[in-house]
Amino acid sequence: MLVDSFGRTIDYIRISLTERCNFRCMYCMPNTPMDIGSESDDVPLDSVLNFIKIAIKQGVKKIRITGGEPLLRSQIVPFIAKIYELNPNIDIALTTNAFLLAPLAKDLKQAGLKRINISLDSLKPEKIVLISKRDGLNKILQGIESAVKEGFTIKLNMVPLLGINDDEIVDILEYGINLGVGVRFIEFMENTHAKDSTKGLRANEILHKIKAKYEVDLLEKDFFGPATLFKLPTKDCIFGIIAPHNDDFCKTCNRIRLSSEGKLIPCLYHENAVDIKEHMLRGNEKEILKNLKLCVEKKPEKNDWDNNEVSTRAFYKTGG
């Protein structure tokens, strides 16, 4: 079991398989060249499995596969199948922009993937282009529909941005309700890689827009993630808000991250990391375990977003 110095049990690891992405979202990597690299630059998936084996032995119960865009990895399906083979009880999840999801959804389900979080920042084609620099709404919606058909547990993730898509908060919520899937609104996390003029809405502002149409009841923290949950009694619907600016956001944090560069990251906000790439490549279990424990030991008590600080972390390398 992995326990940090603040008594939090670390049983959830987010693994970025690549920093490459087919979108250039304004809140993440708008100025990054499209030809960011090739799959040959990514850490081999068998080497990532060397780490995952150790993590599972240390009590990790949930693994979320992220990027960049993880579906750009050509062997993503057999990779997930190998995780499932290691332990069928592991909660294997994926975060994707869904642009490539539709033709892969069935195979991913059969491989053992259980949950999918899908970024959906707008239901308007022109706004998707504005936010992501990609005319991708049709393929995103096709990916969502395919995931629903295959029976995945699904959450739609929206980052409400001031003057961009904040008028669609209720629309996205109702889209999720109609599909029977969860919705998570994520506060924009200020970072140096985002477009300079980007401004997000805080949790109270998001709630204000929803309460203009619906009665909202506060529930509790999400068992499977960092969201605070709310219910619409009239719709029998639960949605969540992920608010890293709140003082209590970090109190129950049970996560660390493995970046696309092969670095263990104890906190999304802070720059400190433990490099285990060479140990993964060599399959050195002793050193992987040593550095995994070191990462957990270095996990800070909290981030600094509540102090209006800006992170220098490149989220597309760490999976957000």
Side-chain angles (χ1 to χ4, degrees):
M1 181 179 292
L2 302 167
V3 180
D4 72 7
S5 57
F6 301 96
R8 297 171 296 197
T9 298
I10 308 304
D11 57 7
Y12 174 12
I13 294 183
R14 298 175 62 106
I15 297 175
S16 173
L17 296 184
T18 181
E19 66 180 79
R20 294 176 295 120
C21 188
N22 44 9
F23 284 12
R24 288 295 176 270
C25 294
M26 62 195 331
Y27 51 76
C28 183
M29 54 189 300
N31 300 316
T32 306
M34 289 301 292
D35 57 343
I36 195 172
S38 65
E39 187 161 13
S40 61
D41 299 322
D42 298 328
V43 177
L45 295 179
D46 284 344
S47 297
V48 179
L49 281 169
N50 289 335
F51 166 74
I52 291 175
K53 292 175 185 176
I54 302 300
I56 290 175
K57 288 178 181 178
Q58 293 301 305
V60 167
K61 298 176 181 177
K62 179 176 179 178
I63 294 172
R64 176 170 293 280
I65 307 303
T66 69
E69 173 48 54
L71 297 185
L72 288 172
R73 294 301 301 257
S74 61
Q75 297 300 305
I76 184 68
V77 172
F79 172 71
I80 287 174
K82 289 177 182 177
I83 299 175
Y84 183 82
E85 289 172 6
L86 289 173
N87 186 339
N89 294 319
I90 294 295
D91 186 4
I92 309 173
L94 177 85
T95 296
T96 175
N97 59 35
F99 189 82
L100 301 172
L101 180 57
L104 291 172
K106 184 175 182 178
D107 290 341
L108 289 167
K109 183 69 173 181
Q110 292 177 345
L113 186 67
K114 299 175 182 178
R115 301 172 180 272
I116 302 183
N117 282 22
I118 297 172
S119 297
L120 181 65
D121 290 320
S122 177
L123 291 168
K124 299 177 180 179
E126 68 277 12
K127 287 192 179 181
I128 290 293
V129 173
L130 175 63
I131 294 169
S132 71
K133 297 183 180 180
R134 192 71 183 253
D135 185 7
L137 182 61
N138 286 339
K139 284 195 172 183
I140 294 170
L141 297 182
Q142 289 170 12
I144 294 170
E145 292 166 5
S146 296
V148 170
K149 180 181 178 180
E150 295 302 326
F152 285 105
T153 298
I154 300 169
K155 294 175 187 173
L156 303 178
N157 292 340
M158 179 193 190
V159 180
L161 302 173
L162 186 64
I164 303 292
N165 63 350
D166 54 332
D167 60 336
E168 290 189 80
I169 289 173
V170 172
D171 294 339
I172 296 287
L173 180 58
E174 292 177 338
Y175 175 76
I177 291 172
N178 292 334
L179 275 183
V181 304
V183 177
R184 298 292 180 267
F185 299 102
I186 305 174
E187 288 184 346
F188 167 58
M189 303 176 194
E190 292 81 2
N191 69 94
T192 57
H193 300 271
K195 186 176 180 180
D196 289 341
S197 60
T198 304
K199 293 184 179 180
L201 275 69
R202 297 293 177 88
N204 64 318
E205 296 172 309
I206 295 169
L207 281 173
H208 179 74
K209 288 184 176 290
I210 297 172
K211 287 179 177 179
K213 184 169 183 179
Y214 293 108
E215 178 185 349
V216 177
D217 293 336
L218 171 66
L219 292 180
E220 57 189 5
K221 291 287 284 185
D222 187 350
F223 180 79
F224 287 105
T228 297
L229 301 180
F230 302 86
K231 183 177 182 179
L232 303 184
T234 59
K235 290 289 186 178
D236 193 25
C237 159
I238 294 174
F239 69 93
I241 297 180
I242 297 175
H245 299 87
N246 289 356
D247 289 338
D248 64 347
F249 178 76
C250 301
K251 288 181 180 179
T252 58
C253 183
N254 62 341
R255 301 172 297 285
I256 59 173
R257 292 166 169 81
L258 178 67
S259 78
S260 61
E261 301 169 307
K263 295 179 180 180
L264 282 171
I265 298 169
C267 175
L268 178 62
Y269 178 92
H270 296 282
E271 272 297 315
N272 56 324
V274 180
D275 195 335
I276 65 164
K277 181 178 179 178
E278 289 302 317
H279 303 315
M280 288 196 301
L281 292 174
R282 297 172 183 171
N284 190 327
E285 294 186 8
K286 181 179 179 180
E287 288 299 318
I288 291 173
L289 177 58
K290 174 185 173 182
N291 285 281
L292 173 57
K293 290 182 175 179
L294 178 61
C295 175
V296 172
E297 180 184 319
K298 287 179 173 290
K299 187 171 175 64
E301 183 177 13
K302 62 192 298 294
N303 64 52
D304 290 330
W305 272 304
D306 61 334
N307 297 323
N308 295 316
E309 299 291 337
V310 177
S311 175
T312 58
R313 174 75 67 192
F315 296 156
Y316 57 93
K317 296 182 180 181
T318 61

